[in-house]
Amino acid sequence: MKIPGLPRITGWHPIATTLILAGAMAAFARFNYGLGATTNLSDEFPWGLWIGFDFLGIGLAASGFTIVAAVNLFHAKEYEPIVRPAILTAFIGYLLVVLVLIIDLGRPDHFWHPLVMWNPHSVMCEISWCLMLYTTVLSLEFAPIVLEKLNIVSPIKWIHAISLPLMIFGVLLSTLHQSSFGSLYLIVPNRLHALWYTPLLPVLFFISCIASGISMVILESLIFARGGRDLLPTPLRANLAKIIAVALAVYVVVRVQDLLTRGALRELTALTYYSLAFYAELLIGFVIPFAMLLMERVRTSRRGLYAATLLVVVGFAFNRMNTAITGLEHYPAQTYFPSLIEVFITLGITAVGFSAFSLIVKHLPIFEPMVAGPRPRKEVVTGRPEPIFISREGGDLESR
Amino acid sequence: MSQKKAMLIDLTLCVGCNACQSACKEENRLPPGEEKYLSLTAYTALDKYNDLYVRRMCQHCDVPTCVSVCPVGALSKTEAGPVAYDAEKCIGCRYCLQACPFHVPKYEWSSTKPRIQKCKFCASRLAKGLQPACAEACPTGATQFGDREELLVEAARRINAEPAKFVHRIYGKDDVGGTSMFYLSPVPFEQLGFDSRMGKTPMPMLTMSALSKVPNVLSVGGVLLGGVWWITNRRAKVQAFEASQKKDPTRPPEDKP
């Protein structure tokens, strides 16, 4: 990735450094003075921006499991080049979410308790376990990339041997906790506004994470493409866009149908704070990008696709923030706006994520083709599960 | 102590003397004072609606929402009735604050090692065979402590004896699956800040409808994804083989997959 000549001067580094430093100081304050002095959280509003960030991070990191499933389980091998970037995105996303969760805990020093103290009736317990296990799965899926760089071959073999069950497990864990983030709110029917509370919350969270996860993949590939590294040919990106359109359509149908059957549509007849938030979310994140993605012209144009997937991601953020914050403001009547320290910590951690991504992309073989240079045999080294299965099956072919 | 304990709070008998709150604060070593709303320093509070006083405190539900949501089991429903809290287990996720239908738990926001605080139903006194401090202090019998079933009979008896005096409802008998605090009121409960939209199903049932599907997702999903992989992988194999056949027709036919 070295470009001859002087490096370009960009605004990114100073901004990222500032954000990370500010975030670190804010985090220092949070640990020293406690949540009360540094956040706008209260007994009436015990969860705020950070929970919203977790929803967002996990939803966008859904790129990991969707692409792994598509390529390695559904055999859409043409998307292979995007697998590693997707796994990296997911891995960083999950690590950041775990970090934010720990900062958010009143007793960060007790963060390990869910490991040994279980309550199977708690959605939170299920989510903690899914997060821990799936982060482990992701680190195993990511490990071959590091090992490959360091030229340590034997553990890669070992990871290969378990890669199929590992991937299936990862997809299942993702399915579970992506939806469970919605289940968290099943228990507050009296608190969450009728426009967001529904028994279908887990289903809706799952469908929307597929749209947002794949949108993230497309966005990433478009950003790489701008940097001169086109990982996915236009037709493949257009196909992914079709899947997003389907997910968006299913989401809108289920969501509106659900509002209809619960009689919550009447909440939309007047323009209130809540109905406006709902319209914003549904139009920006679902209806408009769906309409855009129906057009071949948009699906095959970089700019069009960029706009559409960005809308999906923004609308997704709206949806999660509305569920986590807006929808809870009406009972008991209250408002919540995050404190500066909450905002700084969130921005700082986001900056850590982006910096980590660009560093890793620079130093690890994220974009490497499967076989390159003097590295040992493909089956051993790529970190991809598929070759070893081919060779195993190939063996079967010959023995028959 | 085999029987579940409860309290009957008859709002028609309450004179607003605040003895319950004072006794509670003394028992729990909290700073004295009269508070209208539950707080870190008021495990029970005395709210006023026109000429009616309403005691608030933890309802010690039969199927407590807080106990079900706590990821580490820091909250538990004890056999005698009280919902107990173990700060040593608590990780501070504050799901209980979010989920409690009565907005009872209060958080030590200003502490760097925060805990939740709420009415303990004087569990340590109950263990000694005493009644809760508030019930003992009540001079009019507005708060009465006893066995759950007996108090329900008593509450029904009072309504039947003077049907014009009470609304015909024992709040807490089966709200959110039943609680340990029963209220009798002369006016509809909605006018006194009680949430009557909660229904009779315990809140944790709402979560269980989703959580109970977890094993199914794992088993069915695992088989399904494994099958999908097997089919797609096999299809790719066959395609690759057929392609190689076309290229090299001399290959012996018994190699066919």
Side-chain angles (χ1 to χ4, degrees), chain A residues 188-211:
Chain A
V188 289
N190 50 344
R191 264 192 154 161
L192 187 56
H193 194 278
L195 286 173
W196 289 277
Y197 183 87
T198 155
L200 290 182
L201 266 173
V203 178
L204 290 170
F205 264 53
F206 182 70
I207 303 173
S208 51
C209 92
I210 291 179

Side-chain angles (χ1 to χ4, degrees), chain B residues 84-252:
Chain B
Y85 170 64
D86 181 354
E88 285 309 301
K89 284 187 173 176
C90 179
I91 57 173
C93 73
R94 313 185 291 281
Y95 200 0
C96 51
L97 277 84
Q98 183 76 272
C100 173
F102 301 100
H103 313 301
V104 164
K106 301 295 167 209
Y107 204 56
E108 295 177 336
W109 292 99
S110 55
S111 164
T112 49
K113 287 201 189 300
R115 298 165 295 178
I116 65 156
Q117 294 295 354
K118 68 170 195 70
C119 158
K120 301 169 169 59
F121 204 173
C122 286
S124 52
R125 289 176 62 99
L126 262 58
K128 284 182 227 156
L130 298 167
Q131 52 178 332
C134 56
E136 191 179 73
C138 183
T140 63
T143 295
Q144 194 185 334
F145 171 78
D147 287 342
R148 192 175 193 276
E149 299 312 315
E150 279 170 32
L151 283 181
L152 279 177
V153 172
E154 167 65 13
R157 190 195 63 75
R158 285 188 205 178
I159 293 177
N160 286 332
E162 289 171 281
K165 195 172 155 194
F166 298 100
V167 289
H168 296 185
R169 175 176 180 191
I170 306 170
Y171 191 92
K173 178 174 176 252
D174 42 22
D175 297 81
V176 287
T179 71
S180 306
M181 303 294 152
F182 307 132
Y183 287 85
L184 291 180
S185 166
V187 299
F189 284 97
E190 298 76 53
Q191 295 174 18
L192 303 174
F194 287 84
D195 192 341
S196 55
R197 303 168 302 158
M198 294 186 296
K200 298 180 176 181
T201 319
M203 296 290 199
M205 293 304 290
L206 295 168
T207 320
M208 285 322 287
S209 64
L211 271 183
S212 58
K213 298 194 175 65
V214 168
N216 288 349
V217 169
L218 281 177
S219 56
V220 175
V223 172
L224 212 64
L225 288 174
V228 164
W229 174 83
W230 189 82
I231 291 169
T232 55
N233 196 52
R234 177 87 181 156
R235 194 191 291 157
K237 283 302 105 55
V238 171
Q239 272 167 6
F241 177 79
E242 281 172 0
S244 74
Q245 276 271 300
K246 267 183 203 150
K247 246 189 246 165
D248 179 16
T250 55
R251 205 167 163 178

Side-chain angles (χ1 to χ4, degrees), chain A residues 32 35-36 42-43 46-47 72-73 75 104 106-107 110 113 119 121-123 126 184 186-188 190-191, chain B residues 67-70 88-95 97-98 103 106-107 109 114 197 206-207 211 229 232 236:
Chain A
N32 259 286
L35 289 167
S42 62
D43 287 332
W47 292 352
N72 290 324
L73 299 177
H75 222 270
D104 199 353
R107 292 295 301 267
H110 285 177
H113 281 188
N119 175 14
H121 295 287
S122 168
V123 179
E126 189 226 322
L184 274 181
L186 287 180
I187 204 139
V188 289
N190 50 344
R191 264 192 154 161
Chain B
V67 171
S68 91
V69 299
C70 182
E88 285 309 301
K89 284 187 173 176
C90 179
I91 57 173
C93 73
R94 313 185 291 281
Y95 200 0
L97 277 84
Q98 183 76 272
H103 313 301
K106 301 295 167 209
Y107 204 56
W109 292 99
R197 303 168 302 158
L206 295 168
T207 320
L211 271 183
W229 174 83
T232 55

Side-chain angles (χ1 to χ4, degrees), chain A residues 42-335:
Chain A
S42 62
D43 287 332
E44 290 73 35
F45 219 92
W47 292 352
L49 177 66
W50 289 333
I51 286 281
F53 175 88
D54 296 334
F55 284 7
L56 202 58
I58 294 296
L60 299 181
S63 53
F65 91 92
T66 43
I67 293 299
V68 164
V71 172
N72 290 324
L73 299 177
F74 289 83
H75 222 270
K77 291 292 173 192
E78 60 276 23
Y79 293 97
E80 179 82 51
I82 205 76
V83 169
R84 283 184 170 194
I87 288 179
L88 177 62
T89 312
F91 192 41
I92 292 178
Y94 275 81
L95 288 180
L96 296 186
V97 164
V98 170
L99 189 64
V100 170
L101 274 177
I102 290 176
I103 291 176
D104 199 353
L105 286 183
R107 292 295 301 267
D109 50 323
H110 285 177
F111 78 94
W112 51 274
H113 281 188
L115 274 173
V116 285
M117 303 166 190
W118 296 12
N119 175 14
H121 295 287
S122 168
V123 179
M124 189 74 94
C125 178
E126 189 226 322
I127 289 182
S128 342
W129 269 93
C130 280
L131 281 183
M132 286 187 285
L133 291 174
Y134 187 57
T135 309
T136 313
V137 168
L138 278 172
S139 63
L140 284 173
E141 287 179 344
F142 184 70
I145 305 177
V146 181
L147 296 169
E148 202 174 299
K149 171 83 178 174
L150 301 174
N151 240 329
I152 306 170
V153 181
S154 60
I156 300 184
K157 258 187 199 164
W158 181 80
I159 293 173
H160 259 169
I162 56 163
S163 70
L164 179 64
L166 198 66
M167 283 182 309
I168 293 181
F169 192 46
V171 173
L172 291 175
L173 287 172
S174 298
T175 311
L176 283 179
H177 69 264
Q178 291 286 358
S179 47
S180 290
F181 271 107
S183 311
L184 274 181
Y185 290 93
L186 287 180
I187 204 139
V188 289
N190 50 344
R191 264 192 154 161
L192 187 56
H193 194 278
L195 286 173
W196 289 277
Y197 183 87
T198 155
L200 290 182
L201 266 173
V203 178
L204 290 170
F205 264 53
F206 182 70
I207 303 173
S208 51
C209 92
I210 291 179
S212 71
I214 300 180
S215 293
M216 275 303 275
V217 172
I218 292 187
L219 275 178
E220 261 175 45
S221 84
L222 286 168
I223 291 168
F224 295 145
R226 216 171 43 178
R229 201 181 269 282
D230 209 349
L231 296 175
L232 285 182
T234 305
L236 290 187
R237 254 199 303 266
N239 279 344
L240 284 183
K242 272 186 203 160
I243 301 178
I244 298 178
V246 171
L248 292 177
V250 173
Y251 183 92
V252 171
V253 169
V254 176
R255 183 88 188 264
V256 174
Q257 162 84 27
D258 169 69
L259 288 173
L260 192 70
T261 48
R262 285 186 302 109
L265 274 181
R266 63 167 176 268
E267 304 277 349
L268 288 172
T269 49
L271 283 187
T272 62
Y273 177 55
Y274 302 102
S275 68
L276 282 177
F278 175 87
Y279 281 126
E281 155 193 331
L282 205 70
L283 290 179
I284 294 176
F286 299 92
V287 177
I288 294 175
F290 172 68
M292 288 173 76
L293 291 174
L294 281 184
M295 290 180 264
E296 171 102 38
R297 200 154 44 91
V298 174
R299 290 199 302 269
T300 51
S301 111
R302 279 189 189 178
R303 195 167 293 175
L305 210 48
Y306 195 90
T309 49
L310 199 62
L311 280 179
V312 173
V313 169
V314 170
F316 177 84
F318 259 112
N319 170 256
R320 294 307 196 253
M321 290 293 178
N322 279 343
T323 312
I325 296 173
T326 319
L328 285 165
E329 284 182 319
H330 85 124
Y331 183 82
Q334 62 201 310
T335 51

